[in-house]
Amino acid sequence: MSAGARRGAAVARWIAARIGSALLVVWVVATLVFFALRLSGDPLEAILGGPGSQAGPEAVEHAIAQYGLDRPLAVQYLVQLRDIATLQLGDSYARRQPVIDLLGAHLPPTLLLAVLALALAWILTVAGALVQAVSRGRVGAVVGAAMRGLEIVASVAPQFWLGAVLIVLFASTLGWLPATSSGSQPAALVLPVVTLAIPIAGFLSQVSRDALDDADRAPFAVTARARGASEARVLLRHTLRHAALPALSLSGWAFGSLLSGAVVVEVLFARPGLGRLLQEAALQRDVPVVIGAVAVVAVLYVAVVIATDALELVVDPRLRGPRPGALSAPTAGVGS
């Protein structure tokens, strides 16, 4: 077999493995959500309009037959998996609308929020790495200590607390930004995006700072300085790329964290989106909506992880080996 054929087969195996992992994630998530919601109560109550419903016996029998609630639980579970596989998610119990339409309407605002927050987190991370790299001597030690403290505080700050502080400071006290983001104006996105981005930026900054320290002492950086390269050139050509690799490999996890954090942020800022829809559906035990929303989030997470793996190939030439399995190799350093 030629080298090109072997490479093609390896790529096909890598793609098949990623598709298999995506299907596995969706199956596990859908299974956990289905049984957790059933253990929390009877979905018939949600179908009939919630607690205190005055539905008569005929309405109850019709709802049981329509949604297959008279079948064994195992059969209902298999039917739910079949519906997910065929994208036939059914209708919402509470809203009486097709689940696919609800997801289509609520997903774009959440994706916009997550993408902007991830971009801002990366901007803050790179800015922090640049400040650290250009700070030398005693000033550099003070700046480094201050930044480490800020990174720790940012990474552990609860989003609901951080969002509340931002609302009090910038909306209630200063009046610079709106406290809710139900409208379409760009200013309404600022506080939710900052609330989501700061904890992620704190975590990514800690990872990249350690990598930048290692790269600064690495032989390729020392050699570049010995050849007369300026600190700016060493930073931009060598050490900054090295520092970005560990944070880049965690961007898939960061995006998944942003999607989960959207539940808190969208409720806090009264922002329409998938997170708020999921929170309301969970309270109403709206099984089709919850399972559909969680399945979409799981697929998005896996897709972003795959994209991150592919992006690492562009940034780190060492990963462009003979087989795509090298995507999961450690990113311990980058040569010149």
Side-chain angles (χ1 to χ4, degrees), residues 22 29 35-36 38 57 72 77 80 82 89 96 116 124 145 148 176 210 223 228 241 290 335:
V29 168
F35 286 106
R38 287 307 174 91
Y77 165 68
Q80 185 70 65
R82 182 204 64 192
L89 301 178
R96 300 296 192 272
L116 291 177
L124 296 175
R148 282 191 290 271
W176 291 353
D210 293 339
T223 302
R241 182 173 58 171
V290 174

Side-chain angles (χ1 to χ4, degrees), residues 47-76:
I47 296 172
L48 295 176
S53 171
Q54 301 298 319
E58 292 184 0
V60 172
E61 292 179 4
H62 177 73
I64 291 175
Q66 180 181 0
Y67 290 96
L69 299 179
D70 53 344
R71 302 176 181 177
L73 187 61
V75 174
Q76 296 180 45

Side-chain angles (χ1 to χ4, degrees), residues 231-287:
E231 288 296 332
R233 183 177 177 82
V234 172
L235 173 66
L236 297 177
R237 288 290 301 273
H238 307 291
T239 57
L240 186 59
R241 182 173 58 171
H242 176 102
L245 284 173
L248 179 61
S249 66
L250 291 172
S251 291
W253 163 85
F255 190 80
S257 178
L258 290 171
L259 290 176
S260 63
V263 176
V264 175
V265 171
E266 288 174 355
V267 172
L268 182 62
F269 290 96
R271 176 178 173 79
L274 191 63
R276 193 174 176 190
L277 174 69
L278 180 59
Q279 181 255 356
E280 293 174 355
L283 292 177
Q284 296 168 339
R285 293 197 296 276
D286 198 339
V287 177

Side-chain angles (χ1 to χ4, degrees), residues 92-250:
S92 164
Y93 291 166
R95 298 172 184 249
R96 300 296 192 272
Q97 291 179 254
V99 173
I100 196 71
D101 292 346
L102 289 172
L103 297 180
H106 289 80
L107 181 58
T110 299
L111 281 181
L112 176 63
L113 187 63
V115 170
L116 291 177
L118 186 60
L120 178 59
W122 263 102
I123 291 172
L124 296 175
T125 299
V126 173
L130 292 174
V131 170
Q132 178 188 350
V134 300
S135 301
R136 299 294 176 186
R138 183 174 300 177
V139 174
V142 174
V143 170
M147 290 183 61
R148 282 191 290 271
L150 289 175
E151 290 165 2
I152 293 173
V153 172
S155 62
V156 301
Q159 289 171 335
F160 67 88
W161 174 84
L162 181 60
V165 170
L166 293 176
I167 289 174
V168 171
L169 179 60
F170 292 102
S172 300
T173 304
L174 299 175
W176 291 353
L177 295 166
T180 61
S181 59
S182 56
S184 58
Q185 65 272 26
L189 278 169
V190 174
L191 292 183
V193 167
V194 172
T195 301
L196 279 174
I198 286 180
I200 298 297
F203 183 80
L204 295 180
S205 296
Q206 292 181 70
V207 175
S208 61
R209 175 173 49 80
D210 293 339
L212 187 61
D213 289 339
D214 294 339
D216 206 43
R217 297 187 296 267
F220 61 83
V222 175
T223 302
R225 292 191 184 95
R227 292 174 178 172
S230 64
E231 288 296 332
R233 183 177 177 82
V234 172
L235 173 66
L236 297 177
R237 288 290 301 273
H238 307 291
T239 57
L240 186 59
R241 182 173 58 171
H242 176 102
L245 284 173
L248 179 61
S249 66
L250 291 172

